[in-house]
Amino acid sequence: MLKVHNFSAGPCILPNEVFHKSAESILNFNKSGLSLIEISHRSKDFVEVMDEARNLVKEILSVPETHDVLFLQGGASLGFLMSAYNLMGSNKTGGYLVTGSWAKKAAKEASFMGNSIVVGSSEDKNFSYIPKGYEIGDNMDYFHVTSNNTIFGTQIKDFYNGDVPLACDMSSDIFSRKIDVKNFDLIYAGAQKNMGPAGTTLYIFNKDILGKSTVPIPTMLDLKTHSEKDSMFNTPPVFAVYASMLTLKWLQSNGGLNHIEKQNQLKAELLYNQIDNSSLFSGTANREDRSIMNVTFSLENENLNETFNNMLAHANINGLVGHRSVGGYRASMYNALPIESVQVLVDVMKELEIKKG
Ligand code: PMP
């Protein structure tokens, strides 16, 4: 099969063994003669999958007893709304750090049931940095951040650690590095980066928040509904949960977060070094806020884009085109992307340097 180096921003590369095992499950799940997608989600076999997926999240992230883990639907975009619904307190106010277009969308959802205060924003410089030195007031029921800005290539390195409950959209860097889950009252993440295929959304939250919201929450958007039913209130997205479980198993059996964090750092260093030592390319994000998952960069001379694009195609490099709001290039280097693929990209950049530098 053609070896493609997949730098797609999401949905994205997953481990090869996950593709194989999940394909097999469609035809013959657990050697039952039945497909995973034709059996009851209440069958023993599927309940075991859901339990295992939730347990793997707990083990890999060292989730404390205080927190629950659910696999729901709706994508992170529904998480924008659900986080606001479930965390609104007596002030009916959420504080938002607006570090990108997803963060901005999250802030908007809160305004449907309360006040949404922007405590800091980097929109003035097209979200190329993470604002610092902002103030979180005690008039806020929670503070919402986006850990990694998929489009702009910035990432929060140090999380707020004060008294106001912290909510975080971790869609594009969950499972890429160690985090201290107990500092977060709510984490949510669409599966389709480091966890699995699109279709399920992970929620990790302090059980203390359940039932405390001051706004009436529709049944399906209330985390309490799903927590009480162990993530099985209604039919879960069985395939997405199964493939996520396989990806988490792969991560755990390959050294967990300790190992993957080191790998991700090596991959990021390799590419950022090439960008920084090049006379043709420049990075888009503020250096100290650079993401290890999504590397955004551009060619200073746009006339070279076509040559570079042809060289990328020739090297079977896929998904490197930057988001339309940033332009240039974006290399998404999620957990399953091997360092060899980054080396192939770096070699192409070096070749361009020799030709045109
Ligand atoms: N937040 C972030 C950080 C994202 O990268 C994305 C999508 N890539 C979203 C939210 C929206 O996710 P979804 O498509 O699952 O709603």
Side-chain angles (χ1 to χ4, degrees), residues 9-10 74-78 80 102 146 148-150 169 171-172 190 192-193:
S77 298
L78 191 64
F80 302 157
W102 299 115
T146 310
N148 184 71
N149 299 284
T150 327
D169 171 5
S171 293
S172 55
Q192 65 271 21
K193 272 81 156 132

